[in-house]
C-alpha cells in the first residue's frame, strides 16, 4: 500500500469510528506490524501538530483518536450544541486523585484516606465517564474496585497513567505504609478466615 493511501485509510478509520482505536486493530486493518504502525502514527501525529489544521491525533493507552484542537473550540460551539458543563469540585478532584494514584481501589479505601463517605463523589465521577468499575476485591463482601478511564486520560491530556505527575519518594513510601494499615483495618476478617481454614486442614 502506498504511503498516501495508507495515511488516507488511517484517517478514514479514525474519522468513521469517532473514538479511540487500538494499535492492534489499526495494524490488522492495514496489514502492518504493530511496531511499524506505532512509529507511523507517531510521524502522523507530528505532521498534524506542525500544520495549521483543526484536528489532531491523540494517543490513549496504545490507542489513537482524531480530536478537535482545543484552539478551535470557540468557533465550534457557535454551531455545535454547547455540552453540559461538568464541574469538578475540590471533593471530586481529591477523590479522582486517590483513584488515579491507587487504582484499582475500593470505596472503603477512598473513605479511609479522605475520612468521609465518598459514594456521591465516586458516582459523579462514573457519571462523567472519568472512573469505571474495575472488578471486585478478593475480600469479605467482595467490594467493587474503581479505576480511571480512557476519558480521564483524554480530559487531562495523558497518554497513559504512567504520565501522571510523579510523587516524591518519601510521599510514595508513606502511601505504601498507609495502604498496608488500611488493608489490615478494612479487611481483618479475611485473615481470621484464613487462620480458621488452616486449622481445619
Amino acid at each position: 500500500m502506498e504511503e498516501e493511501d495508507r495515511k488516507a485509510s488511517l484517517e478514514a478509520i479514525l474519522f468513521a469510528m469517532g473514538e479511540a482505536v487500538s494499535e492492534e486493530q489499526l495494524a490488522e486493518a492495514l496489514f502492518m506490524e504493530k511496531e511499524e504502525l506505532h512509529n507511523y502514527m507517531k510521524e502522523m501525529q507530528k505532521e498534524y501538530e506542525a500544520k495549521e489544521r483543526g484536528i489532531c491525533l491523540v494517543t490513549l493507552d496504545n490507542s489513537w483518536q482524531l480530536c478537535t484542537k482545543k484552539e478551535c473550540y470557540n468557533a465550534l460551539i457557535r454551531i455545535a450544541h454547547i455540552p453540559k458543563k461538568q464541574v469538578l469540585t475540590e471533593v471530586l478532584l481529591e477523590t479522582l486523585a486517590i483513584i488515579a494514584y491507587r487504582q484499582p481501589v475500593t470505596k472503603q479505601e477512598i473513605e479511609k484516606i479522605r475520612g468521609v463517605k465518598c459514594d456521591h463523589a465516586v458516582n459523579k465521577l462514573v457519571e462523567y465517564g472519568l472512573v469505571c468499575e474495575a472488578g471486585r476485591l478478593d475480600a469479605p463482601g467482595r467490594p467493587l474496585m474503581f479505576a480511571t478511564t480512557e476519558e480521564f486520560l483524554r480530559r487531562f491530556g495523558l497518554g497513559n497513567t504512567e504520565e501522571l505527575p510523579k510523587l516524591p519518594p518519601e510521599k510514595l513510601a508513606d502511601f505504601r505504609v498507609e495502604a498496608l494499615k488500611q488493608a489490615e483495618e478494612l479487611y481483618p476478617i479475611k485473615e481470621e478466615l484464613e487462620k480458621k481454614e488452616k486449622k481445619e486442614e
Side-chain angles (χ1 to χ4, degrees):
M1 185 181 288
E2 297 292 331
E3 183 174 349
E4 289 304 314
D5 292 336
R6 177 178 291 174
K7 189 178 296 183
S9 296
L10 284 168
E11 286 180 331
I13 292 170
L14 294 175
F15 176 78
M17 295 302 291
E19 58 185 15
V21 182
S22 70
E23 291 185 349
E24 288 86 352
Q25 291 174 302
L26 292 173
E28 184 178 350
L30 275 74
F31 305 104
M32 298 173 69
E33 293 295 326
K34 185 180 174 182
E35 185 176 352
E36 179 188 8
L37 183 281
H38 178 80
N39 293 334
Y40 193 80
M41 295 303 294
K42 283 289 186 183
E43 288 301 316
M44 279 187 64
Q45 187 179 44
K46 290 178 182 177
E47 288 181 23
Y48 275 96
E49 290 173 353
K51 296 178 180 178
E52 293 298 323
R53 305 182 66 164
I55 54 177
C56 60
L57 264 177
V58 297
T59 178
L60 307 161
D61 265 343
N62 297 318
S63 295
W64 293 86
Q65 182 173 4
L66 274 177
C67 295
T68 305
K69 281 187 176 179
K70 60 183 180 181
E71 291 84 359
C72 301
Y73 181 75
N74 288 334
L76 180 63
I77 61 174
R78 296 191 187 104
I79 296 178
H81 292 293
I82 299 176
K84 182 181 178 181
K85 189 175 182 181
Q86 297 177 344
V87 180
L88 290 178
T89 62
E90 186 175 340
V91 171
L92 292 183
L93 286 172
E94 284 180 5
T95 305
L96 183 58
I98 292 170
I99 295 172
Y101 281 98
R102 298 284 296 276
Q103 61 186 309
V105 63
T106 66
K107 285 184 180 179
Q108 293 95 322
E109 291 170 320
I110 298 170
E111 289 168 359
K112 192 68 179 177
I113 294 172
R114 295 199 64 246
V116 294
K117 297 290 287 183
C118 69
D119 292 290
H120 176 73
V122 172
N123 291 340
K124 269 295 178 187
L125 292 172
V126 170
E127 180 186 326
Y128 290 170
L130 300 174
V131 166
C132 65
E133 294 179 4
R136 292 183 177 274
L137 183 67
D138 184 17
R142 295 184 57 75
L144 280 169
M145 295 188 294
F146 295 87
T148 54
T149 63
E150 192 177 86
E151 178 61 23
F152 165 79
L153 297 176
R154 188 182 297 110
R155 190 77 62 86
F156 288 90
L158 302 170
N160 52 59
T161 52
E162 293 178 3
E163 294 181 10
L164 284 166
K166 301 299 180 186
L167 294 173
E170 62 274 12
K171 191 68 176 176
L172 197 57
D174 290 343
F175 270 18
R176 289 193 182 118
V177 171
E178 187 62 26
L180 289 173
K181 287 181 181 178
Q182 290 163 16
E184 291 173 2
E185 293 173 8
L186 289 169
Y187 310 112
I189 302 173
K190 185 179 179 183
E191 294 181 7
E192 294 300 322
L193 289 173
E194 289 175 350
K195 289 178 184 178
K196 186 178 179 181
E197 287 175 0
K198 287 181 180 178
K199 286 181 181 179
E200 290 177 352
E201 291 174 358

